[in-house]
Amino acid sequence: MSENNMEATTSTPVAAPEATEATDGAQATSIRRARAPRKPKKNQIPIGMLVVLGMVVVGIVLASRSSNLGFFWMTGGIFGFILQKSRFCFTASMRDPVISGSTSVTRAVLIAFAVTTIMFTAIKYGAASMGLPIPGSSYVVPISFATVVGAFIFGVGMVIAGGCASGTLMRVGEGFTMQWLSLLFFVVGSLIGAAHFGWWKENFIVHGPSIFLPDHFGWMGAVVLQLLVIALLYRAAMLWQKKKMGTDE
């Protein structure tokens, strides 16, 4: 053998047997995956029609006993459908910006706050202008240490459970067994909180300041101020997502 042939033979790279086997195995796996038939999706339309029919029947029965029960059943079903399709969850609005940088759900919550601000203000102002008691005024509770403790417990709980009240109820309807457990302890915690609420109210809540914005800024000023705060938070959410993900969509 000549020196040139020897040099060509020695300079030609030879793949290791392990690397060749690994490459062949990966290619075979990808081919099998590509050829594997996909399982056909189950047709859920008949099931959905039966569920809707059942809801209508239950709604008619409830409405025959009380118009309020029928109304609550109808609105509950509508809200459940909207929550499930939109994946609306307060936990996600606080969690996603930290974990993934996405603020789409956060901005959806802020938009909901803006809409409810306008609508509820219209209802309250209409009652006040006619000299009637302001709806919901009794729920303007003082800000106290109990607010901080409750917010902390709820924040930790909803992160561990993976959802807030609306998200938990939505996923229970979807069949997530973990959320069934969350719902159980949601009820247990609510019962414990209700049992001890009197102690918190007597020792902390009644001593805190009550803030009702229309009393300080007027009805129009309160709406403008709250919408301005929501707009600033919305803009901050957009900038945060753009910084973390490179897009504000």
Side-chain angles (χ1 to χ4, degrees):
M1 184 181 293
S2 64
E3 295 181 357
N4 293 335
N5 292 335
M6 292 178 62
E7 291 178 357
T9 304
T10 56
S11 62
T12 302
V14 179
E18 295 83 358
T20 304
E21 291 177 0
T23 303
D24 294 340
Q27 291 177 350
T29 302
S30 62
I31 292 174
R32 284 196 300 269
R33 289 178 179 176
R35 293 178 179 178
R38 293 184 178 181
K39 294 182 179 180
K41 294 183 178 180
K42 294 182 179 179
N43 186 4
Q44 297 183 341
I45 294 179
I47 300 176
M49 294 178 65
L50 289 175
V51 171
V52 172
L53 179 61
M55 292 184 65
V56 171
V57 172
V58 173
I60 293 174
V61 174
L62 292 176
S64 64
R65 298 184 178 184
S66 172
S67 59
N68 287 336
L69 289 177
F71 176 76
F72 293 153
W73 178 262
M74 179 184 67
T75 54
I78 293 173
F79 276 120
F81 180 81
I82 294 174
L83 288 174
Q84 196 275 334
K85 292 301 180 182
S86 64
R87 316 305 299 175
F88 188 88
C89 180
F90 286 96
T91 303
S93 69
M94 302 296 176
R95 178 193 61 213
D96 291 354
V98 178
I99 296 179
S100 64
S102 173
T103 61
S104 58
V105 181
T106 307
R107 285 177 284 162
V109 170
L110 292 173
I111 293 174
F113 284 164
V115 174
T116 53
T117 294
I118 297 173
M119 300 302 295
F120 279 110
T121 302
I123 295 173
K124 293 176 181 291
Y125 177 75
S129 62
M130 292 186 293
L132 301 174
I134 300 176
S137 59
S138 59
Y139 294 100
V140 182
V141 297
I143 299 175
S144 65
F145 179 68
T147 307
V148 178
V149 174
F152 178 78
I153 294 176
F154 183 79
V156 172
M158 71 179 185
V159 170
I160 295 175
C164 57
S166 59
T168 298
L169 292 174
M170 174 188 67
R171 290 180 177 87
V172 165
E174 290 180 336
F176 286 88
T177 54
M178 180 61 185
Q179 302 304 319
W180 296 354
L181 185 63
S182 300
L183 179 61
L184 172 63
F185 284 96
F186 197 107
V187 174
V188 172
S190 298
L191 293 175
I192 295 174
H196 294 83
F197 180 75
W199 182 86
W200 286 97
K201 182 177 180 179
E202 181 180 353
N203 293 277
F204 295 101
I205 297 177
V206 295
H207 303 294
S210 297
I211 301 176
F212 188 54
L213 293 181
D215 291 341
H216 301 278
F217 303 100
W219 289 97
M220 182 60 68
V223 173
V224 172
L225 176 62
Q226 186 153 314
L227 291 179
L228 179 61
V229 172
I230 293 173
L232 292 175
L233 292 174
Y234 189 94
R235 180 58 180 169
M238 293 181 62
L239 294 176
W240 177 268
Q241 178 169 312
K242 188 173 184 179
K243 177 182 178 181
K244 294 295 182 179
M245 303 180 64
T247 176
D248 54 1
E249 295 297 331

